[in-house]
Amino acid sequence: MIDHTGDGLGSRSLDSITRNPVYRYPSMKEDLNRFLPLPPAALHILLCLAGDARHGYGIMQEVSRQSSGQFRLRPGTLYDNLQKLMAHGMVEDQRRAPEGDNPRRRYYRLTSLGRRVLAADVERLKSVVQEATVRLRNPRLKRV
């Protein structure tokens, strides 16, 4: 089991990335690579929010479910990462709780930027897995 008690961002912090200039200069092509690779905690949070808006405890439960209990997100890691993801426009808080739910709960949802960043990282991970599969089948293979 991976237990992330730190910020989950490793040596690369989302704080070091400035807000997307695409919104200031609409003619600029969006460069999602500056957000990649996503740290594990951020990847799991975005993946969790790709389905529905969730509150903090619901995010922790869904991350655990999606990873079959292999990845455990603690509250400090979760809220630190949510704050950073919100600062970069990948996640936003939903103003209203679903009907019948506790109105004090804060719900989070993925933005369109967050969805594009998640999709880009999933594509990056697919190529990593593909390369690893080839290498593990034939360790002497030289790729050009």
Side-chain angles (χ1 to χ4, degrees):
M1 174 167 49
I2 300 170
D3 184 10
H4 286 272
T5 55
D7 69 2
L9 297 175
S11 62
R12 238 181 125 249
S13 170
L14 289 176
D15 284 338
S16 65
I17 303 169
T18 59
R19 194 159 176 94
N20 197 335
V22 136
Y23 299 109
R24 288 184 295 221
Y25 308 105
S27 63
M28 288 179 63
K29 185 174 179 180
E30 184 173 48
D31 179 22
L32 301 177
N33 288 328
R34 63 197 185 93
F35 293 113
L36 305 179
L38 285 170
L43 173 65
H44 281 283
I45 291 167
L46 293 179
L47 182 59
C48 171
L49 294 175
D52 289 322
R54 295 181 186 275
H55 55 80
Y57 184 66
I59 293 171
M60 290 189 300
Q61 289 179 313
E62 180 63 11
V63 165
S64 180
R65 187 200 67 76
Q66 286 179 353
S67 68
S68 300
Q70 295 297 304
F71 192 90
R72 198 167 103 205
L73 210 53
R74 294 189 182 245
T77 302
L78 170 68
Y79 290 107
D80 184 51
N81 276 272
L82 278 172
Q83 186 176 38
K84 291 172 184 177
L85 291 167
M86 287 173 54
H88 293 290
M90 291 184 231
V91 171
E92 62 188 9
D93 63 350
Q94 186 171 309
R95 297 294 176 208
R96 291 189 329 210
E99 192 157 330
D101 202 352
N102 186 339
R104 293 182 296 171
R105 279 188 173 158
R106 189 171 178 185
Y107 278 73
Y108 302 92
R109 66 178 174 200
L110 197 60
T111 65
S112 60
L113 173 62
R115 189 169 299 278
R116 291 190 307 273
V117 170
L118 176 60
D121 205 36
V122 167
E123 285 303 312
R124 181 193 66 79
L125 289 168
K126 281 181 188 176
S127 68
V128 169
V129 169
Q130 184 179 22
E131 182 68 21
T133 302
V134 169
R135 296 281 177 167
L136 290 172
R137 284 189 186 144
N138 189 354
R140 295 181 190 171
L141 180 66
K142 302 273 188 210
R143 300 281 291 208
V144 181

